[in-house]
Amino acid sequence: MECRPGCGACCTAPSISSPLPGLPHGKPAGMPCPHLDAALRCQLFGRPERPAVCASLQPHADMCGGDRAHALRWLARLEHATAPT
């Protein structure tokens, strides 16, 4: 499955605990990654600076659904379910 143009949900909803350029302590859930461009595309895609967790998250019909709102909700539930207690 290809990423949906204009989505960027996977770069917004999840937290990132590993360092990335400009965010040495990662990013909190719900915060858009500062490496998203105006079209919501990752500017680190394919570059070595891209965190491994980002590269490992692959688009899937269940996650992406029919629109960005679905993907944001799905990923927010996953973030909540996997958050440390």
Side-chain angles (χ1 to χ4, degrees), residues 12-71:
T12 303
S15 61
I16 298 175
S17 58
S18 58
L20 61 152
L23 295 172
H25 305 290
K27 107 175 174 57
M31 175 185 149
C33 178
H35 300 286
L36 284 174
D37 67 13
L40 299 176
R41 291 180 299 222
C42 176
Q43 294 303 293
L44 297 179
F45 192 86
R47 295 178 49 188
E49 305 93 328
R50 186 175 182 215
V53 67
C54 297
S56 70
L57 184 58
Q58 299 296 308
H60 186 274
D62 291 341
M63 175 177 75
C64 299
D67 57 25
R68 183 175 194 266
H70 171 93

